[in-house]
Amino acid sequence: MSAPTLIRSAAAEGMTERFDPIACLDERVRAQAALTGPTSPGRYIEIQGPEQSLHLRLGKDPMHIGRGLAADLRLDESSVSRRHAILVPRPNGARILDDRSSNGTFVNGRRVQQEDLSSGDVLVIGRVVLRYLEV
């Protein structure tokens, strides 16, 4: 199943309203993200909104994803746990770890506790759909 198909199917299952994942980002994350596609080699998280996509460059440190104020990628959405997942950079990519979330962490439609990521993998954190990219 391709990434766009997964995004469409995730959007179709259980959602009766339009959902803009960019709107649930806090201002600090929005300010760090680029509106244009990745311009330099690196690892990115793509957040796809209905009208635009944002690309957040991953650093060398683990990125905590969640609704809590201490999260590096803070998603203000009720389906996201305060401490939902951790994205850990590795020499050959990245690994996603579920941080005991209530609604689970999904990679390419499959619920995971931990998973090595490849470029193009679709991550679902609560109702928020993200894509991992390596350029």
Side-chain angles (χ1 to χ4, degrees):
M1 196 178 277
S2 70
T5 303
L6 281 171
I7 292 172
R8 277 195 300 276
S9 66
E13 293 178 17
M15 289 189 209
T16 58
E17 63 193 59
R18 286 191 164 230
F19 177 71
D20 182 5
I22 293 174
C24 71
L25 293 174
D26 74 1
E27 287 299 319
R28 177 180 45 91
V29 172
R30 258 188 248 165
Q32 293 174 355
L35 282 173
T36 60
T39 56
S40 61
R43 299 175 189 150
Y44 296 84
I45 291 294
E46 180 182 54
I47 304 123
Q48 297 178 341
E51 297 175 14
Q52 64 183 357
S53 292
L54 295 179
H55 294 86
L56 185 62
R57 188 178 179 100
L58 299 176
K60 296 178 183 174
D61 296 326
M63 175 185 282
H64 292 77
I65 303 170
R67 195 182 67 223
L69 295 175
D72 301 310
L73 175 52
R74 185 166 179 264
L75 303 169
D76 190 16
E77 168 32 50
S78 62
S79 63
V80 176
S81 296
R82 280 189 217 91
R83 293 176 39 184
H84 200 103
I86 304 169
L87 192 58
V88 181
R90 298 169 58 112
N92 296 328
R95 184 173 194 78
I96 188 87
L97 309 170
D98 184 78
D99 198 7
R100 301 179 309 262
S101 66
S102 299
N103 292 323
T105 299
F106 294 81
V107 176
N108 297 329
R110 190 171 58 91
R111 188 173 185 156
V112 299
Q113 289 301 311
Q114 55 183 325
E115 184 78 16
D116 287 327
L117 300 176
S118 299
S119 187
D121 281 349
V122 175
L123 312 172
V124 179
I125 308 289
R127 292 191 328 157
V128 179
V129 179
L130 309 169
R131 187 169 15 181
Y132 173 75
L133 300 172
E134 293 177 4
V135 179

